[in-house]
Amino acid sequence: MKKNGVLVSLSFSSLVFLSTFSIAISYSTNQLIHETCRKFSRNDPNINYNFCITSLQASPESRCASNLRRLGSITINLIKRNVTATNHFIKDLLIAQNKTMGPYQKACLIDCLELYGDAVSTVSDAMKAYRSRHYDDANVQLSSVIDAATTCEDGFKERKGVVSPLTKRNNDAFQLSVIALSIIYVLR
Ligand SMILES: *[C@@H]1O[C@H](CO)[C@@H](O)[C@H](O)[C@H]1NC(C)=O
Ligand SMILES: *[C@@H]1O[C@H](CO)[C@@H](O)[C@H](O)[C@H]1NC(C)=O
């Protein structure tokens, strides 16, 4: 009976220990994400605090983000997934609306497709550069992703009545890249 009681209380306390431990890990990761996003959004008007938090927390890899360097590679991975998805989205849109789209809209989308096609490989290069700590190269490559998103969005603005179907996507790629650039700026 007594033995049983000891056993029960032992496993209970190890359970408490384990759950406290796992809370501690996610707590420190959370701390890192919040601190980083707070600093960045204060220093850069292009970085929205809530966007930063939500994006970084949503990544499954964020569980093991123990430091800023790790957070940087998580962000670059997010950009890669983002621009790849947008690239596919534009392709699908061009097929689905081939007959219904106006010629100007179509021309803009074709430009965007090229820009995002390039961005996909540029982000891969940026990841390689980042992994080997060639921060200047990663900086240049991620800046060109920002240019791609901006150029794509600007194309639609040049003519009245034309609405960009990519505003949110361009904005996401833009913001994520600005966050990655800020991380690189701190690391180098
Ligand atoms: C791009 O990233 C943003 C921010 O993390 C996310 O909300 C959005 O769903 C992503 N878009 C795509 C198409 O993956
Ligand atoms: C769009 O339609 C034209 C004419 O029907 C065709 O030549 C072209 O290949 C189509 N483009 C796409 C992306 O489906």
Side-chain angles (χ1 to χ4, degrees):
M1 283 295 263
K2 211 171 195 180
K3 221 177 187 178
N4 248 344
V6 170
L7 245 165
V8 165
S9 74
L10 229 171
S11 61
F12 177 71
S13 65
S14 61
L15 207 97
V16 169
F17 171 76
L18 275 177
S19 58
T20 317
F21 188 63
S22 68
I23 285 169
I25 289 175
S26 60
Y27 179 78
S28 71
T29 300
N30 237 355
Q31 277 294 86
L32 174 69
I33 292 176
H34 276 87
E35 243 168 63
T36 305
C37 290
R38 189 178 313 119
K39 263 187 232 156
F40 287 176
S41 60
R42 250 188 226 148
N43 295 338
D44 190 334
N46 286 314
I47 298 177
N48 176 283
Y49 178 72
N50 288 325
F51 176 91
C52 181
I53 300 272
T54 324
S55 303
L56 294 181
Q57 278 179 340
S59 168
E61 299 162 87
S62 289
R63 283 169 200 276
C64 45
S66 48
N67 56 43
L68 194 63
R69 195 171 142 73
R70 187 86 193 91
L71 215 54
S73 70
I74 287 168
T75 309
I76 299 173
N77 262 330
L78 283 175
I79 301 168
K80 191 171 179 201
R81 254 180 275 152
N82 234 263
V83 298
T84 304
T86 299
N87 194 42
H88 290 146
F89 178 77
I90 301 170
K91 268 183 205 158
D92 291 346
L93 207 59
L94 276 167
I95 294 168
Q97 299 185 9
N98 188 16
K99 300 284 183 332
T100 49
M101 206 167 10
Y104 188 80
Q105 179 100 348
K106 190 186 276 186
C108 289
L109 277 176
I110 289 170
D111 284 347
C112 291
L113 184 62
E114 197 182 335
L115 288 163
Y116 271 94
D118 289 346
V120 171
S121 55
T122 307
V123 179
S124 295
D125 292 343
M127 184 52 106
K128 277 182 213 135
Y130 183 84
R131 289 216 172 112
S132 51
R133 295 177 202 263
H134 292 144
Y135 293 132
D136 287 342
D137 291 341
N139 183 68
V140 170
Q141 283 143 355
L142 290 168
S143 299
S144 86
V145 174
I146 292 183
D147 284 344
T150 313
T151 308
C152 167
E153 190 61 25
D154 284 351
F156 295 96
K157 284 184 194 151
E158 277 164 26
R159 193 169 290 192
K160 263 194 185 158
V162 174
V163 176
S164 167
L166 303 172
T167 303
K168 183 186 180 293
R169 287 162 185 274
N170 285 330
N171 198 33
D172 287 347
F174 176 90
Q175 280 218 48
L176 287 173
S177 303
V178 175
I179 294 170
L181 283 182
S182 302
I183 292 176
I184 288 171
Y185 184 80
V186 175
L187 291 174
R188 66 178 179 173

